[in-house]
Amino acid sequence: MSDQFEILSAGASSDAIGLVSQLGLEELDGELGRPRVVAAMIASADGRAAVEGRAGGLGGPADRAVLRELRCSVDAILIGPTTLVDERYSTLLDSDHRSRRIAAGLSAEPIAATISRRLNPQLAELELFAQPEQRIVVYSESNGPLEASGADLTVVRSQPGEMTLAGCLEDLYANRGVRTLLSEGGPTLLRALAAEGLIDDFIFTVSPLLVAGSAPTVLSGEPFEPPLGLQLENVWRSDSFLFLRYTRQC
Ligand SMILES: NC(=O)c1ccc[n+]([C@@H]2O[C@H](COP(=O)([O-])OP(=O)(O)OC[C@H]3O[C@@H](n4cnc5c(N)ncnc54)[C@H](OP(=O)(O)O)[C@@H]3O)[C@@H](O)[C@H]2O)c1
């Protein structure tokens, strides 16, 4: 810890491709036994993670470009069921990004994975579940029905009380070839990932807005005692948006 300040002056400019390439996603740690996990979240300058119940009101072109580029680069994305429903997930990538993935030897779309103990029935109504090229994996402790109207859906069921995020990530790694994973939240899922020590990189975007009200912050749930430490690795700016990349403090 230091009490000295470094002035972050304007450096070389980059685009979303350059920003994501600095993460070095290809540098994998085979000893993890699970995918490398990048979590990406956005909050207003006063810390709120949603405007009128959705994150979209916080974003801008650069933030959306980074999210698309991350989706374009990973084997799977993990999204909480409430976020999937609230944000009305449909297609993940445009045709240009799909072509780039195919040219890079990846599937056209990353796998979309979610974890829902009670198996939220609203998931089946999402447009994402109707996309023919979309592979979806749902982890649940419920025996309830869930069908997709077009997507390639796998439901992996566990006994009540036996499902862990670590177990879900191990299944994605060992059985579905997932080496890199992007978590898009929400705040409840992000806290659970952090609690199990499963976040390797945290891309935190500060949106130039003040929101107030009672929207969640980027992590929801019981406090960590003591708080979990992070190490700042990179800082980028686009207009008045700030992009911070943290790794876990060992
Ligand atoms: N600012 C941002 O970057 C950002 C990103 C994403 C979302 N959001 C916002 O966040 C809000 C939704 O977030 P949220 O925190 O309410 O929901 P969430 O994290 O998307 O989903 C919560 C649900 O995930 C399941 N879950 C989470 N951890 C689990 C675990 N360890 N084991 C089993 N299941 C687990 C549970 O589902 P079941 O109840 O089905 O068991 C839980 O109710 C929306 O307003 C959305 O717009 C903001």
Side-chain angles (χ1 to χ4, degrees), residues 109-143:
E109 299 273 359
I111 294 173
T114 191
I115 175 168
S116 171
R117 283 202 183 92
R118 65 189 173 94
L119 205 51
N120 186 335
Q122 289 174 283
L123 291 173
E125 293 158 24
L126 293 171
E127 251 185 72
L128 187 73
F129 280 61
Q131 302 298 331
E133 284 195 75
Q134 187 62 59
R135 277 181 74 193
I136 300 175
V137 183
V138 177
Y139 294 92
S140 185
E141 293 182 345
S142 160
N143 281 325

Coordinates of all heavy atoms in Angstrom, one line a residue, residues 109-143:
E109 N -22.1 -18.7 -31.7 CA -22.5 -18.0 -30.4 C -21.9 -18.7 -29.2 O -21.7 -19.9 -29.2 CB -24.0 -18.1 -30.3 CG -24.9 -17.5 -31.4 CD -25.1 -16.0 -31.2 OE1 -24.7 -15.5 -30.2 OE2 -25.8 -15.5 -32.1
P110 N -21.5 -17.9 -28.2 CA -21.1 -18.5 -27.0 C -22.3 -19.3 -26.3 O -23.4 -18.9 -26.6 CB -20.7 -17.4 -26.1 CG -21.4 -16.2 -26.6 CD -21.6 -16.4 -28.1
I111 N -22.0 -20.3 -25.6 CA -23.0 -21.0 -24.8 C -23.6 -20.0 -23.8 O -22.9 -19.2 -23.2 CB -22.5 -22.2 -24.0 CG1 -22.0 -23.3 -25.0 CG2 -23.5 -22.7 -23.0 CD1 -21.3 -24.5 -24.2
A112 N -24.9 -20.0 -23.7 CA -25.6 -19.1 -22.6 C -25.9 -20.0 -21.5 O -26.7 -21.0 -21.6 CB -26.8 -18.4 -23.2
A113 N -25.3 -19.8 -20.3 CA -25.6 -20.7 -19.1 C -26.3 -19.8 -18.1 O -26.0 -18.6 -17.9 CB -24.3 -21.3 -18.6
T114 N -27.1 -20.5 -17.3 CA -27.7 -19.8 -16.1 C -27.9 -20.8 -15.0 O -27.9 -22.1 -15.2 CB -29.1 -19.1 -16.5 OG1 -29.4 -18.3 -15.4 CG2 -30.2 -20.1 -16.8
I115 N -28.1 -20.3 -13.8 CA -28.3 -21.2 -12.7 C -29.5 -20.7 -11.9 O -29.6 -19.5 -11.6 CB -27.0 -21.1 -11.8 CG1 -27.2 -21.9 -10.5 CG2 -26.5 -19.7 -11.5 CD1 -25.9 -22.2 -9.7
S116 N -30.5 -21.6 -11.8 CA -31.8 -21.2 -11.1 C -32.2 -22.3 -10.3 O -32.6 -23.4 -10.8 CB -32.8 -20.9 -12.2 OG -34.1 -20.7 -11.7
R117 N -32.1 -22.1 -9.0 CA -32.5 -23.3 -8.1 C -34.0 -23.7 -8.3 O -34.3 -24.8 -8.4 CB -32.4 -22.8 -6.6 CG -31.0 -22.8 -6.1 CD -30.9 -22.9 -4.6 NE -29.5 -22.8 -4.2 CZ -28.9 -21.7 -3.9 NH1 -29.5 -20.5 -3.9 NH2 -27.6 -21.7 -3.6
R118 N -34.9 -22.7 -8.5 CA -36.3 -23.0 -8.5 C -36.8 -23.1 -10.0 O -37.9 -23.4 -10.3 CB -37.1 -21.9 -7.8 CG -37.0 -20.6 -8.5 CD -37.7 -19.5 -7.7 NE -37.4 -18.2 -8.3 CZ -38.2 -17.6 -9.2 NH1 -39.3 -18.1 -9.5 NH2 -37.8 -16.4 -9.7
L119 N -35.9 -22.9 -11.0 CA -36.2 -23.0 -12.4 C -37.3 -22.1 -12.8 O -38.4 -22.4 -13.0 CB -36.6 -24.5 -12.8 CG -36.3 -24.9 -14.2 CD1 -34.9 -24.6 -14.7 CD2 -36.6 -26.4 -14.4
N120 N -36.9 -20.8 -12.9 CA -37.8 -19.7 -13.2 C -38.5 -20.0 -14.5 O -37.9 -20.1 -15.6 CB -37.0 -18.4 -13.3 CG -37.8 -17.2 -13.5 OD1 -38.9 -17.3 -14.0 ND2 -37.3 -16.1 -13.2
P121 N -39.9 -20.2 -14.5 CA -40.6 -20.6 -15.7 C -40.6 -19.5 -16.8 O -40.8 -19.8 -18.0 CB -42.0 -20.9 -15.2 CG -42.1 -20.2 -13.9 CD -40.8 -20.1 -13.3
Q122 N -40.3 -18.3 -16.4 CA -40.3 -17.2 -17.4 C -39.2 -17.3 -18.4 O -39.2 -16.7 -19.5 CB -40.2 -15.8 -16.7 CG -41.5 -15.4 -16.0 CD -41.2 -14.1 -15.2 OE1 -40.6 -14.1 -14.2 NE2 -41.7 -13.0 -15.8
L123 N -38.2 -18.2 -18.0 CA -37.0 -18.3 -18.9 C -37.4 -18.8 -20.3 O -37.0 -18.3 -21.3 CB -36.0 -19.3 -18.3 CG -35.3 -18.8 -17.1 CD1 -34.4 -20.0 -16.5 CD2 -34.3 -17.6 -17.4
A124 N -38.4 -19.8 -20.3 CA -38.8 -20.4 -21.6 C -39.4 -19.4 -22.5 O -39.5 -19.6 -23.7 CB -39.8 -21.5 -21.3
E125 N -39.9 -18.2 -22.0 CA -40.6 -17.3 -22.9 C -39.6 -16.3 -23.5 O -40.0 -15.5 -24.4 CB -41.6 -16.4 -22.0 CG -42.8 -17.3 -21.5 CD -43.4 -16.7 -20.3 OE1 -43.3 -15.4 -20.1 OE2 -44.0 -17.4 -19.5
L126 N -38.3 -16.4 -23.1 CA -37.3 -15.4 -23.7 C -37.1 -15.7 -25.2 O -37.0 -16.9 -25.6 CB -36.0 -15.5 -22.9 CG -36.1 -15.0 -21.5 CD1 -34.8 -15.4 -20.8 CD2 -36.3 -13.5 -21.4
E127 N -36.8 -14.6 -25.9 CA -36.5 -14.8 -27.3 C -35.2 -15.6 -27.5 O -35.0 -16.4 -28.5 CB -36.2 -13.4 -28.0 CG -37.3 -13.1 -28.9 CD -37.0 -11.8 -29.6 OE1 -36.1 -11.8 -30.5 OE2 -37.6 -10.8 -29.3
L128 N -34.3 -15.5 -26.5 CA -33.0 -16.3 -26.5 C -33.3 -17.8 -26.7 O -32.6 -18.5 -27.3 CB -32.2 -16.0 -25.3 CG -30.8 -16.6 -25.2 CD1 -29.9 -15.8 -26.1 CD2 -30.3 -16.6 -23.8
F129 N -34.4 -18.2 -26.0 CA -34.7 -19.7 -26.1 C -35.3 -20.1 -27.4 O -35.6 -21.3 -27.6 CB -35.6 -20.0 -24.9 CG -34.9 -20.2 -23.6 CD1 -34.2 -19.1 -23.0 CD2 -34.9 -21.4 -22.9 CE1 -33.5 -19.3 -21.8 CE2 -34.3 -21.6 -21.7 CZ -33.6 -20.5 -21.2
A130 N -35.5 -19.1 -28.3 CA -36.1 -19.5 -29.6 C -35.0 -19.4 -30.7 O -35.3 -19.6 -31.9 CB -37.2 -18.5 -29.9
Q131 N -33.8 -19.0 -30.3 CA -32.7 -18.8 -31.4 C -32.1 -20.2 -31.8 O -31.5 -20.9 -30.9 CB -31.6 -17.9 -30.8 CG -32.0 -16.6 -30.4 CD -32.7 -15.8 -31.5 OE1 -32.3 -15.9 -32.6 NE2 -33.6 -14.9 -31.1
P132 N -32.3 -20.6 -33.0 CA -31.8 -21.9 -33.4 C -30.3 -22.2 -33.2 O -30.0 -23.3 -33.0 CB -32.2 -22.0 -34.9 CG -32.9 -20.8 -35.3 CD -32.9 -19.8 -34.1
E133 N -29.5 -21.1 -33.3 CA -28.1 -21.4 -33.2 C -27.6 -21.3 -31.8 O -26.4 -21.5 -31.5 CB -27.3 -20.3 -34.0 CG -27.3 -20.6 -35.5 CD -26.3 -19.8 -36.2 OE1 -25.1 -20.1 -36.2 OE2 -26.7 -18.8 -36.9
Q134 N -28.5 -21.1 -30.8 CA -28.1 -20.8 -29.4 C -28.1 -22.1 -28.6 O -29.1 -22.8 -28.5 CB -29.0 -19.8 -28.8 CG -28.6 -19.3 -27.4 CD -27.3 -18.6 -27.5 OE1 -27.1 -17.6 -28.2 NE2 -26.3 -19.2 -26.8
R135 N -26.9 -22.4 -28.0 CA -26.8 -23.5 -27.0 C -27.1 -22.9 -25.7 O -26.4 -21.9 -25.3 CB -25.4 -24.1 -27.0 CG -25.3 -25.2 -28.1 CD -23.9 -25.8 -28.0 NE -23.7 -26.7 -26.9 CZ -22.5 -27.1 -26.5 NH1 -21.4 -26.7 -27.1 NH2 -22.4 -28.0 -25.4
I136 N -28.0 -23.5 -24.9 CA -28.3 -23.0 -23.6 C -28.1 -24.1 -22.6 O -28.6 -25.2 -22.8 CB -29.7 -22.4 -23.5 CG1 -29.9 -21.3 -24.5 CG2 -30.1 -21.9 -22.1 CD1 -31.3 -20.7 -24.6
V137 N -27.5 -23.8 -21.4 CA -27.3 -24.8 -20.4 C -27.9 -24.2 -19.1 O -27.5 -23.1 -18.7 CB -25.9 -25.2 -20.1 CG1 -25.8 -26.3 -19.0 CG2 -25.2 -25.7 -21.4
V138 N -28.9 -24.8 -18.5 CA -29.6 -24.3 -17.3 C -29.3 -25.3 -16.2 O -29.5 -26.5 -16.3 CB -31.1 -24.2 -17.5 CG1 -31.8 -23.8 -16.2 CG2 -31.4 -23.2 -18.6
Y139 N -28.7 -24.8 -15.1 CA -28.4 -25.6 -13.9 C -29.5 -25.4 -12.9 O -29.9 -24.2 -12.6 CB -27.1 -25.3 -13.3 CG -25.9 -25.6 -14.2 CD1 -25.4 -24.7 -15.1 CD2 -25.4 -26.9 -14.2 CE1 -24.4 -25.0 -16.0 CE2 -24.4 -27.2 -15.1 CZ -23.9 -26.3 -16.0 OH -22.9 -26.6 -16.9
S140 N -30.1 -26.4 -12.4 CA -31.2 -26.3 -11.4 C -31.3 -27.4 -10.4 O -30.9 -28.5 -10.7 CB -32.5 -26.2 -12.2 OG -33.6 -25.9 -11.4
E141 N -32.0 -27.1 -9.3 CA -32.3 -28.1 -8.3 C -33.7 -28.5 -8.4 O -34.2 -29.3 -7.6 CB -32.0 -27.5 -6.9 CG -30.5 -27.2 -6.7 CD -30.3 -26.7 -5.3 OE1 -31.2 -26.3 -4.6 OE2 -29.1 -26.7 -4.9
S142 N -34.5 -28.0 -9.4 CA -35.9 -28.3 -9.5 C -36.1 -29.4 -10.6 O -35.4 -29.5 -11.5 CB -36.6 -27.0 -9.9 OG -37.9 -27.3 -10.5
N143 N -37.2 -30.1 -10.4 CA -37.6 -31.1 -11.4 C -38.6 -30.5 -12.4 O -39.1 -31.3 -13.2 CB -38.1 -32.4 -10.7 CG -37.0 -33.2 -10.2 OD1 -36.0 -33.3 -10.8 ND2 -37.2 -33.9 -9.1

